[in-house]
Amino acid sequence: MNTTTIQQISDSWKRTSENVASIAVKARRSPDDITIVAVSKQKPAEYIRAGIDAGIRHFGENKIQEAIEKLPQFKNDKIIRHCIGHVQSNKVRFLPELFDLIQTLDAMKTAHKIDSIFRENNAVAEVLVQVNISYDSAKYGLDPAIASDFIGELLTLSNIKCRGFMTIGPNTDSRDEIRKAFKKMFALSENIYQQFRGKLSTPELSMGMSNDYDIAIQEGATFLRMGQAIFGERG
Ligand SMILES: *Cc1c(COP(=O)(O)O)cnc(C)c1O
């Protein structure tokens, strides 16, 4: 990996962090309440190393197999590893070793599997529930209408700690539509938090990617998942 690429990652990270902070302040939010998850998918492990050296602490991967190949070498680095891709139940056994936060839980069958695998590992899985807020047939995620029941059931599983919600903005050029979806997600999250008062901690909200993170900040995101803005375009 050449020094130009390393420098580019460092520069992009600095620029992205500054943008996020300035958009947050304009939206009357504290930049400290917003965490950028650097999505390193489809990029070699050297990019993660360069990111760590540049000061990045949160990384996201979307494929279990890729994570198995890349993440173990960072075992001794103080990074937080986010699973941002769909998890099939036959891959759940890899999760305890690989990830610190699973952002993509959207099925009770998988929840039970996660609960039992983490119990075997004497661990508690931290998860976000992925919601398909814009009812996009091409996307994973829970039907918003059943999110509340889902959380109720999730709370009965002792080796899962639900920390909030994740959603992917609609795939559209319309910034209004994206904003509408993020507003809906924020409202749903607030509703569920009120409904389960005392049982859920203040919900994290993972929404916003390289092309819509500004809207996500304005609408209450606490995690942004950003790949291309930091690591450059993907092949
Ligand atoms: C790839 C991916 C991202 C990052 O997308 P960018 O456009 O590179 O910022 C965010 N979230 C999920 C779920 C992804 O798969």
Side-chain angles (χ1 to χ4, degrees):
M1 187 169 179
N2 62 44
T3 50
T4 317
T5 312
I6 293 173
Q7 189 59 46
Q8 273 167 359
I9 291 170
S10 170
D11 290 346
S12 302
W13 171 245
K14 193 160 175 282
R15 195 171 52 238
T16 303
S17 312
E18 285 167 1
N19 282 344
V20 166
S22 104
I23 294 165
V25 168
K26 280 190 200 123
R28 298 176 188 280
R29 298 192 54 204
S30 164
D32 293 345
D33 293 341
I34 299 164
T35 299
I36 303 168
V37 178
V39 176
S40 42
K41 69 182 185 192
Q42 295 172 40
K43 297 290 185 186
E46 289 87 350
Y47 280 61
I48 299 178
R49 174 57 62 203
I52 293 172
D53 292 344
I56 302 177
R57 285 295 165 264
H58 292 256
F59 292 87
E61 288 285 341
N62 73 329
K63 295 240 157 64
I64 302 286
Q65 189 52 43
E66 192 179 336
I68 289 171
E69 285 157 22
K70 282 156 60 180
L71 293 182
Q73 55 194 290
F74 302 104
K75 225 183 173 144
N76 296 322
D77 293 285
K78 288 200 173 58
I79 62 170
I80 315 292
R81 303 154 302 171
H82 298 248
C83 175
I84 63 162
H86 185 66
V87 179
Q88 292 164 292
S89 57
N90 64 345
K91 296 279 171 68
V92 168
R93 64 198 159 95
F94 298 111
L95 295 176
E97 271 289 300
L98 282 179
F99 292 109
D100 303 293
L101 180 64
I102 302 155
Q103 294 207 4
T104 47
L105 178 64
D106 70 352
M108 204 32 75
K109 184 182 165 211
T110 314
H112 281 282
K113 187 92 198 222
I114 290 174
D115 186 56
S116 80
I117 296 274
F118 276 73
R119 183 171 307 110
E120 284 168 23
N121 282 267
N122 281 316
V124 172
E126 303 211 2
V127 307
L128 304 182
V129 170
Q130 181 175 354
V131 178
N132 189 356
I133 200 71
S134 39
Y135 290 97
D136 180 342
S137 61
K139 285 196 183 82
Y140 288 107
L142 212 63
D143 179 341
I146 64 163
S148 161
D149 288 347
F150 189 90
I151 297 294
E153 205 172 335
L154 207 55
L155 285 169
T156 67
L157 303 179
S158 53
N159 287 69
I160 290 188
K161 178 174 165 49
C162 176
R163 291 188 51 203
F165 301 92
M166 178 271 212
T167 199
I168 301 173
N171 190 7
T172 168
D173 289 335
S174 162
R175 307 215 357 122
D176 281 351
E177 258 182 67
I178 295 170
R179 187 178 302 282
K180 245 185 245 166
F182 288 167
K183 272 189 195 299
K184 264 175 78 181
M185 187 64 247
F186 182 82
L188 180 65
S189 164
E190 288 294 297
N191 276 341
I192 291 179
Y193 177 52
Q194 294 301 334
Q195 188 187 343
F196 294 99
R197 229 162 215 288
K199 294 188 188 135
L200 282 176
S201 49
T202 316
E204 301 283 353
L205 207 43
S206 173
M207 55 188 196
M209 323 205 307
S210 296
N211 61 348
D212 56 14
Y213 70 95
D214 54 331
I215 308 175
I217 294 167
Q218 291 157 0
E219 301 305 333
T222 64
F223 284 120
L224 310 170
R225 308 177 310 268
M226 299 174 72
Q228 307 192 72
I230 297 164
F231 295 117
E233 280 179 29
R234 286 182 299 270

